[in-house]
Amino acid sequence: MNNKVIVFGCNHQNLLGLVRSLGEKGIRPYCVLLQSKDGMVFRSRYPAECHFAESPQDGMQYIIDRFSGEVPKPILLSSDDVTETLFDMRASELRESFIVPASDEDGKLTRLMNKKNIGELAVSYGFKIPHMRVLRKSDAIPDDLSYPVFTKSLKSIDGGKKEECKCNNREELKTVQQNCLSDVLLVQQFIDKVDEIDYIGYAANGTVYIPYIQHQLRFSDHAYGGYHRFDKVEDSDFMGRIKQMLLDINFQGLFSVEFLVDKNGEWYFTEVNFRHDGHTYLITDAGINLPYLYCCAVTGEGNDLQPKMNKKSFTGMNELVDYRQFVSTGIISKPRWIWQLLRADTHIIWNIRDNGPLKYILRHR
């Protein structure tokens, strides 16, 4: 592939998976990294270069100054909502020099990162969503809420994981409201879930490709773990509506679409992540390298445009997330977790072809 690939995002396992996916196909990406001047991505064997940026805006300006005007156009990829928002808000300008993961209208994806907006859109395609209310810090808590409720930031870029919380009563909700990072808090119907679902894929050239559905093998009320099962996706009316929604958004790029499943078997749409999903790398074990396939689709270069899935079902583990959520908290014993780690088909960190990131983590964490 003649196009350079530039990956932009926080120096953590999500971006590491993106770098590895490309590197294993012979593409050495140029990394613009945030949050840490050292870390796992710097230890990977695959980047052509790593540049640390003090802020997302500095990183965006570095990309423009360094890579504008190159022929053929470099491909931009993001691993988090903050950097994807920068691409989205300046998409028409960036398209003059880059292949951009964006929609046909500047700012459209940023509006749809608002969970209320994307939920309303999903309803128009026949998906069910949890009942939701939007509260500002100054708002009185409504008297008609039915507890428990689940809180989260209205937009991920304005809040954080600490705002994702089950509140069993008015007092707990008040505490979360007062301590939320942003001025706006989303309060949702609490779904007593038995599964969390991710459809992971890419959209390009009027085509939406979704090879696997991801199931969470364990989770809690407040968070999901990093132990997953992937099953081959079958065509259905449900799948057709997911694809049509993404086509109508005119989105181009990597994505994941999330659902919750309750104890009665009801499916609830929650959000779309318009960027590389943290578990996309796990799919490469089954012969499907989504970042590479997306680059091939937008450039017309490369090979393996009709990849063959070599597994109908397999398991994968995001070791850092799963250990923090379930071993450090005492929910799962270390021997049981190690047994599952060894039996998993694929991993986010543990990789014999690229062992620098694991060595760094063992030495520093």
Side-chain angles (χ1 to χ4, degrees):
M1 187 172 295
N2 295 317
N3 306 68
K4 289 180 178 177
V5 180
I6 303 161
V7 299
F8 186 22
C10 297
N11 187 2
H12 56 33
Q13 61 261 30
N14 189 335
L15 194 138
L16 176 64
L18 179 53
V19 166
R20 281 177 168 168
S21 295
L22 297 167
E24 290 174 6
K25 286 296 187 177
I27 301 172
R28 300 193 65 198
Y30 293 77
C31 301
V32 181
L33 303 171
L34 302 168
Q35 291 190 342
S36 175
K37 294 183 179 180
D38 194 7
M40 62 182 71
V41 177
F42 283 99
R43 296 303 196 277
S44 174
R45 59 179 289 201
Y46 294 119
E49 293 179 11
C50 287
H51 172 82
F52 173 74
E54 294 287 348
S55 70
Q57 292 73 23
D58 288 345
M60 185 76 263
Q61 194 59 50
Y62 172 81
I63 291 171
I64 293 171
D65 293 342
R66 169 76 189 278
F67 297 101
S68 290
E70 294 201 5
V71 180
K73 293 179 179 180
I75 302 167
L76 300 180
L77 292 172
S78 169
S79 65
D80 58 63
D81 291 342
V82 173
T83 50
E84 179 57 35
T85 295
L86 292 178
F87 290 159
D88 172 59
M89 297 301 292
R90 302 175 66 175
S92 57
E93 170 196 349
L94 291 172
R95 283 194 187 97
E96 297 179 6
S97 298
F98 302 95
I99 297 174
V100 188
S103 185
D104 57 340
E105 177 187 337
D106 291 2
K108 178 187 284 189
L109 299 184
T110 302
R111 292 193 297 274
L112 293 176
M113 289 179 191
N114 180 305
K115 296 177 178 64
K116 186 173 185 296
N117 293 341
I118 192 66
E120 291 172 351
L121 179 65
V123 169
S124 70
Y125 287 85
F127 298 117
K128 191 172 185 178
I129 64 172
H131 301 302
M132 61 181 67
R133 304 282 283 271
V134 177
L135 290 182
R136 296 190 177 276
K137 277 191 173 182
S138 58
D139 290 343
I141 295 178
D143 293 327
D144 59 348
L145 291 179
S146 178
Y147 295 95
V149 295
F150 193 79
T151 62
K152 57 176 65 175
S153 57
L154 188 61
K155 292 190 294 182
S156 298
I157 58 174
D158 295 333
K161 291 293 184 182
K162 290 183 179 179
E163 293 177 2
E164 297 183 2
C165 184
K166 178 185 178 183
C167 298
N168 294 295
N169 51 56
R170 185 188 188 92
E171 289 70 31
E172 291 181 0
L173 176 57
K174 185 67 175 178
T175 299
V176 175
Q177 180 191 26
Q178 292 174 340
N179 295 323
C180 67
L181 296 176
S182 63
D183 184 55
V184 181
L185 186 69
L186 185 68
V187 181
Q188 286 186 340
Q189 167 192 0
F190 178 77
I191 305 300
D192 193 5
K193 60 195 176 188
V194 296
D195 200 356
E196 294 195 16
I197 301 293
D198 272 15
Y199 287 93
I200 302 174
Y202 78 80
N205 304 326
T207 298
V208 177
Y209 178 60
I210 303 175
Y212 284 100
I213 177 174
Q214 173 188 278
H215 302 269
Q216 304 287 352
L217 293 181
R218 53 172 162 258
F219 44 79
S220 67
D221 289 340
H222 300 282
Y224 60 82
Y227 191 35
H228 319 282
R229 188 185 81 246
F230 295 85
D231 296 327
K232 181 180 177 182
V233 166
E234 303 293 342
D235 287 335
S236 64
D237 171 71
F238 190 88
M239 176 61 58
R241 285 184 280 134
I242 294 175
K243 291 183 176 180
Q244 192 60 53
M245 181 173 66
L246 290 163
L247 288 172
D248 292 345
I249 293 170
N250 290 310
F251 171 66
Q252 172 179 282
L254 300 165
F255 67 84
S256 61
V257 185
E258 299 182 2
F259 293 85
L260 300 179
V261 184
D262 72 8
K263 292 184 176 181
N264 297 318
E266 292 281 356
W267 285 51
Y268 294 84
F269 170 92
T270 55
E271 64 180 316
V272 179
N273 296 306
F274 296 103
R275 40 78 177 167
H276 181 265
D277 185 273
H279 301 132
T280 300
Y281 178 71
L282 296 172
I283 299 175
T284 60
D285 181 70
I288 306 298
N289 191 317
L290 286 172
Y292 173 71
L293 292 172
Y294 168 74
C295 291
C296 291
V298 296
T299 62
E301 297 188 24
N303 49 36
D304 296 336
L305 293 176
Q306 298 293 329
K308 182 179 179 181
M309 297 180 184
N310 56 39
K311 293 183 179 180
K312 289 186 177 181
S313 183
F314 60 97
T315 59
M317 182 178 282
N318 186 338
E319 307 95 307
L320 285 180
V321 169
D322 203 55
Y323 191 94
R324 183 173 63 247
Q325 295 288 353
F326 290 91
V327 182
S328 295
T329 57
I331 297 174
I332 292 176
S333 68
K334 285 184 180 180
R336 179 186 173 192
W337 184 81
I338 292 171
W339 174 246
Q340 293 174 342
L341 172 75
L342 296 175
R343 288 179 58 85
D345 295 295
T346 181
H347 308 83
I348 292 291
I349 305 298
W350 179 16
N351 188 305
I352 60 173
R353 298 181 300 274
D354 185 34
N355 59 16
L358 176 60
K359 289 180 179 179
Y360 172 84
I361 290 168
L362 293 176
R363 186 164 57 249
H364 290 83
R365 299 194 183 185

